[in-house]
Amino acid sequence: MKSKFYIFATIIMMVALLSSCKEDPIVPNVVTKDATGIKGDYATLHGEVRNMSDGEDYKCGFFYDVSAEMSSPKEIKANANARFSAKVTGLLPGTTYYFKAYIQCSAGQIEGETLTFTLQAAGPSVETRPASDVTGNGATLNAAIPSNGGSEITLCGFYYSTSERMSNKETAQYTGTPDSLFSVPISGLSGNITYYYKAFAKNAFGTAEGEIMQFTTGIGAPNVQTRNATNVASSTATLVGFISDGGGTAVTECGFVYGTSASDLSQNVQSGSGTGSFTKALTGLFASTTYYYKAYATNSLGTAYGDIVSFTTSGILNGYEWVDLGLPSRTLWATCNVGANSPDEYGDYFAWGETTAKEKYDKTTYRYCRSWYSNGWEYYGLTKYCNNANYGYNLLFTDNLTILEACDDAATANWGAGWRMPTAEDFQELYHNCTVIWTTQNGVAGKLFTGRYSGNSIFLPAAGRRYDSSLGNAGSYGYYWSSSLGTGDPTDARDLYFNSGTFGVNGSSRFNGQSVRAVCQSQN
């Protein structure tokens, strides 16, 4: 019979044998995988856990840094999975980043190998947000920039249109330094209209656009503009206004308020109703007087006004009207040609230095040209306004006069003291201080000169010119004498020349019959 000691020793040996057969604990392995989605200012990091024991609790994530030594790494955590990832944002373009995956478990912190990726800059991303502060004629458009693409935003704003396809779109640009959010207020919209809009943002690498959104304006005030008066004379003028839209409802009345002071527009004239252009002719005005006026339009919401605009009625000198175009020299221009009764009439034709019209225009009928004979040949030479003897009578005459004297000025001779023909410099001033368009008045073609600062206008008909006994180029060209002699050949004088496309101060033969538009000088 075995002793108790033997049985106890056997048990001890069996326990020791069983203990020597227990497996060592499993240590997991972490693999850092290549980064993906590297764009703009972000990238997605990936890692994988291998040999993880079932039921083991662990945490995982990544360390990343701009130095290979990972001296000051940043950490981003990920959900605990066999394959895990995390998106890193706020990165710098053109920069190489070092990163590695890690897990934390019962065996401690285990890290994968270090990999790298280089961030390339890209276009931004932009989101269109709902509009706010929508009224009858305005709204505030809103947007967000989730990412600048790793590069500075150089331009952003909105496109908007009444077409869902964004045809004929307008641009509302953001003028500040854009942050993650930006807004742009827009105005001048039509009432009770649906508008479509989308945000855009641009950096050095591309332009992004958000989705199209929409809003509908309410009923607003009419959009009315005051425009320059026309047909301004000494006692009459025609006021002009324009209504681009009625604010989403019918315009029941439109017209003008006016007066001789911008602060006292106490006189009212009604023009009609509806949208589009509207006018009102005023009579009984004072000569040489500045009037101020603004257009108005009324709908069910109320009355809206355009800007205040002014005009100055023509003055009268010796019975002939002048217009103040607001020129720097204060030169005043006649409303019609010498010999005409209205702005669209051609008037008389004058050879340069002559004061009456005639049937034939050439050197044989010219007042200051005389013939002589030499060796059986007939020659013609100038007897006044000659600064070169080669063109003077008998190849000897010169007087060096280059500006017409009053007795030879067609404007002075026909309209009296105070009126004169313009100089070449007066024509240059007219051109540089007016808007100039080719148009017709009462079926007559010509150039309309409108002062940039006064809004007043003069019309110069394309009256052509006469040579010999015929009239040429009427309706196509205008030729207007200045009082200035030509700069080269003294048989030429300087004139204003124009047609439908060109305009200039040139020289023409002084024997021609051409138009004269008189000027006088303001005394104010």
Side-chain angles (χ1 to χ4, degrees):
M1 185 174 183
K2 296 181 179 180
S3 67
K4 292 181 179 179
F5 175 80
Y6 175 80
I7 295 172
F8 178 76
T10 301
I11 292 172
I12 294 299
M13 290 178 62
M14 292 178 66
V15 170
L17 180 62
L18 290 172
S19 298
S20 65
C21 294
K22 185 177 180 180
E23 296 182 359
D24 292 333
I26 299 174
V27 177
N29 181 31
V30 180
V31 178
T32 307
K33 309 288 283 187
D34 289 337
T36 63
I38 305 169
K39 185 178 182 182
D41 64 348
Y42 57 86
T44 300
L45 310 183
H46 300 275
E48 183 178 345
V49 182
R50 298 174 181 174
N51 302 324
M52 176 63 72
S53 299
D54 292 340
E56 174 80 28
D57 291 329
Y58 67 96
K59 298 178 181 179
C60 60
F62 302 89
F63 296 113
Y64 64 97
D65 200 351
V66 293
S67 68
E69 295 78 15
M70 304 280 273
S71 56
S72 299
K74 294 182 180 180
E75 179 184 6
I76 184 168
K77 297 180 179 180
N79 293 328
N81 290 301
R83 292 182 176 85
F84 57 95
S85 63
K87 185 176 181 179
V88 183
T89 60
L91 305 178
L92 300 175
T95 303
T96 297
Y97 283 87
Y98 299 82
F99 72 101
K100 59 184 175 182
Y102 74 83
I103 65 168
Q104 295 173 348
C105 60
S106 59
Q109 179 168 295
I110 304 171
E111 299 176 353
E113 65 176 321
T114 299
L115 300 181
T116 66
F117 67 88
T118 300
L119 193 70
Q120 301 296 328
S125 60
V126 64
E127 298 176 356
T128 310
R129 297 284 178 89
S132 58
D133 301 324
V134 179
T135 64
N137 52 23
T140 297
L141 308 184
N142 304 300
I145 302 178
S147 169
N148 66 1
S151 180
E152 178 185 3
I153 300 295
T154 57
L155 183 68
C156 64
F158 300 88
Y159 300 120
Y160 65 97
S161 172
T162 55
S163 166
E164 189 171 4
R165 296 183 178 181
M166 302 295 287
S167 58
N168 299 320
K169 64 180 181 290
E170 297 189 54
T171 303
Q173 184 176 329
Y174 182 72
T175 57
T177 301
D179 201 349
S180 57
L181 300 174
F182 67 91
S183 301
V184 178
I186 57 175
S187 59
L189 306 181
S190 298
N192 199 24
I193 295 292
T194 297
Y195 285 85
Y196 301 87
Y197 68 102
K198 60 180 176 181
F200 69 87
K202 179 180 181 181
N203 67 9
F205 298 92
T207 301
E209 296 183 355
E211 65 175 323
I212 296 175
M213 301 187 73
Q214 68 184 65
F215 64 89
T216 301
T217 55
I219 294 177
N223 189 337
V224 59
Q225 303 167 15
T226 312
R227 296 191 170 175
N228 288 332
T230 61
N231 303 321
V232 178
S234 60
S235 62
T236 60
T238 299
L239 307 184
V240 182
F242 183 79
I243 303 171
S244 58
D245 73 83
T249 187
V251 173
T252 57
E253 182 182 329
C254 60
F256 304 89
V257 291
Y258 71 98
T260 55
S261 168
S263 61
D264 182 18
L265 305 179
S266 57
Q267 301 183 71
N268 179 289
V269 286
Q270 186 176 347
S271 179
S273 60
T275 58
S277 182
F278 61 98
T279 63
K280 185 65 177 181
L282 301 181
T283 60
L285 304 178
F286 297 107
S288 307
T289 302
T290 298
Y291 286 86
Y292 301 85
Y293 67 101
K294 61 182 177 181
Y296 73 84
T298 301
N299 67 7
S300 59
L301 189 69
T303 299
Y305 293 89
D307 294 333
I308 296 177
V309 177
S310 67
F311 66 89
T312 301
T313 53
S314 305
I316 299 176
L317 176 62
N318 303 336
Y320 300 97
E321 291 187 355
W322 52 256
V323 171
D324 186 355
L325 297 172
L327 303 177
S329 69
R330 300 306 309 276
T331 298
L332 309 171
W333 285 76
T335 59
C336 60
N337 291 347
V338 174
N341 295 311
S342 65
D344 51 80
E345 288 185 8
Y346 289 167
D348 291 332
Y349 297 86
F350 301 90
W352 190 81
E354 296 185 350
T355 58
T356 59
K358 56 188 180 181
E359 292 297 324
K360 185 178 181 179
Y361 295 82
D362 64 13
K363 62 185 177 181
T364 66
T365 65
Y366 186 59
R367 179 180 182 183
Y368 295 119
C369 188
R370 181 179 173 187
S371 66
W372 80 93
Y373 288 87
S374 177
N375 297 322
W377 294 92
E378 186 179 20
Y379 297 90
Y380 287 85
L382 299 174
T383 60
K384 193 173 184 180
Y385 305 106
C386 182
N387 55 9
N388 186 331
N390 291 326
Y391 297 89
Y393 177 70
N394 229 359
L395 299 179
L396 296 172
F397 175 79
T398 59
D399 59 7
N400 294 317
L401 295 176
T402 58
I403 297 294
L404 286 175
E405 295 180 333
C407 61
D408 299 318
D409 186 310
T412 306
N414 285 275
W415 284 10
W419 289 106
R420 62 175 176 83
M421 290 168 61
T423 63
E425 290 71 27
D426 288 331
F427 281 133
Q428 295 286 3
E429 181 186 54
L430 181 69
Y431 174 74
H432 289 297
N433 292 276
C434 292
T435 58
V436 185
I437 62 170
W438 179 263
T439 186
T440 59
Q441 288 194 7
N442 297 323
V444 176
K447 290 279 193 181
L448 183 70
F449 296 78
T450 302
R452 289 194 175 94
Y453 307 108
S454 69
N456 294 336
S457 302
I458 60 170
F459 177 72
L460 271 60
R465 64 182 171 191
R466 299 185 69 89
Y467 184 75
D468 200 359
S469 300
S470 62
L471 173 63
N473 298 321
S476 300
Y477 292 83
Y479 304 90
Y480 285 77
W481 282 130
S482 79
S483 60
S484 307
L485 190 69
T487 56
D489 183 344
T491 62
D492 286 344
R494 302 190 73 185
D495 63 352
L496 171 68
Y497 157 88
F498 63 80
N499 60 18
S500 61
T502 61
F503 177 98
V505 179
N506 302 312
S508 294
S509 170
R510 51 197 268 191
F511 310 141
N512 294 336
Q514 298 187 175
S515 303
V516 170
R517 178 61 65 94
V519 298
C520 60
Q521 208 65 34
S522 172
Q523 300 302 312
N524 297 330

